[in-house]
Amino acid sequence: GNSVTQMEGPVTLSEEAFLTINCTYTATGYPSLFWYVQYPGEGLQLLLKATKADDKGSNKGFEATYRKETTSFHLEKGSVQVSDSAVYFCALMGSNFGNEKLTFGTGTRLTIIP
Amino acid sequence: DTAVSQTPKYLVTQMGNDKSIKCEQNLGHDTMYWYKQDSKKFLKIMFSYNNKELIINETVPNRFSPKSPDKAHLNLHINSLELGDSAVYFCASSLRRREETQYFGPGTRLLVL
C-alpha cells in the first residue's frame, strides 16, 4: 500500500534560518504529492502540491520538487519566520481509481525562535 | 463565512456513552471526509462520502457510523465510546472525488474519561 515517511521532529530553528523537512514516499503508479500545514489549534491547510514528476510546488516562500527517481518531496524555505511555527504534513494521493484517499506522514513540528 | 465547520469544538464524555459530531461545508463541494488525529498528531482517514454515497470506509470499528443527509453535511456518530477514541476528529471536503485539494474544518477534540 501507499505510505509516506517524513523526518521526525520536533525541529527548532532560529528566525531566518534555512529549512528542510525531508519526505519520501512509497506508491504504485504516479501519485500526487502535497504538503499540508497545521497551525496551533486549527485544521490542516494545503501549503503546496505537485502532480507529476519534476513539478515544483511553491507557496509563501516554501518549495518542494517531485523527484520520482528518489521518491522524495522535500520541503524547503530559505528564511523562516516565527509565523512559520506549525506542524507540517507530507501526503500523497494514489493515481489508481478507487485509491483516492490522502495518505499522510506522521507530521513534523517546527518551532522558530526569534 | 466559515468554509468547513464542525460542532462541537470540544467534547468531554464518559466511557460507554454515545455521541455525535456534526460537519457542514458551504463550498458546494461533492465530497466530504472524516479523519482521526491521535495524540502523536498521526492523521488517518476514516470515511469519505461523495454526493451522499459512501466511497471510502477504512478499517474503523462499527461503533463509528457516518451519516450524510445531504452533500453539504457529514455527521459522525460514535456508540459505546472507549478511552482509545480520544482524539481530534477533522472533517474535510473537496470539490469532487479525486480532487486533490481538501479543505479541513477546525477539528473536534474528543476526550473520553
Side-chain angles (χ1 to χ4, degrees), chain A residues 32 34 36 38 43-44 46 49 51 89 93-96 99-102 104 106 109, chain B residues 9 35 37 40-43 45 55-56 58 90 97-102 104-106:
Chain A
S32 295
F34 310 85
Y36 276 81
Q38 184 179 25
L44 278 72
L46 179 66
K49 67 180 182 182
T51 58
F89 293 89
M93 181 180 288
S95 57
N96 303 327
N99 188 14
E100 50 212 46
K101 61 181 181 179
L102 277 175
F104 287 90
T106 51
R109 183 181 296 278
Chain B
K9 191 167 184 179
Y35 289 88
Q37 187 177 46
K40 296 185 177 175
K41 297 288 190 182
F42 185 64
L43 195 68
I45 191 165
I55 56 171
I56 294 175
E58 292 293 283
F90 287 101
R97 64 189 298 178
R98 287 206 59 76
E99 175 63 31
E100 289 140 354
T101 303
Q102 294 185 14
F104 282 75

Side-chain angles (χ1 to χ4, degrees), chain A residues 6-113:
Chain A
Q6 62 182 105
M7 66 188 283
E8 299 236 354
V11 174
T12 302
L13 295 173
S14 297
E15 206 166 19
E16 299 183 5
F18 184 86
L19 168 71
T20 301
I21 302 178
N22 289 339
C23 171
T24 57
Y25 67 89
T26 301
T28 55
Y30 302 91
S32 295
L33 302 174
F34 310 85
W35 278 99
Y36 276 81
V37 59
Q38 184 179 25
Y39 297 104
E42 297 183 11
L44 278 72
Q45 303 173 26
L46 179 66
L47 180 60
L48 53 85
K49 67 180 182 182
T51 58
K52 60 184 189 296
D54 300 325
D55 268 3
K56 178 187 282 188
S58 60
N59 186 23
K60 299 182 181 179
F62 291 88
E63 292 183 340
T65 301
Y66 188 150
R67 301 280 188 209
K68 189 159 178 65
E69 63 276 13
T70 53
T71 61
S72 64
F73 193 55
H74 305 321
L75 183 68
E76 297 182 335
K77 186 174 186 183
S79 176
V80 292
Q81 306 301 312
V82 172
S83 58
D84 293 328
S85 298
V87 181
Y88 291 80
F89 293 89
C90 186
L92 70 81
M93 181 180 288
S95 57
N96 303 327
F97 185 81
N99 188 14
E100 50 212 46
K101 61 181 181 179
L102 277 175
T103 299
F104 287 90
T106 51
T108 301
R109 183 181 296 278
L110 174 67
T111 302
I112 307 301
I113 52 178

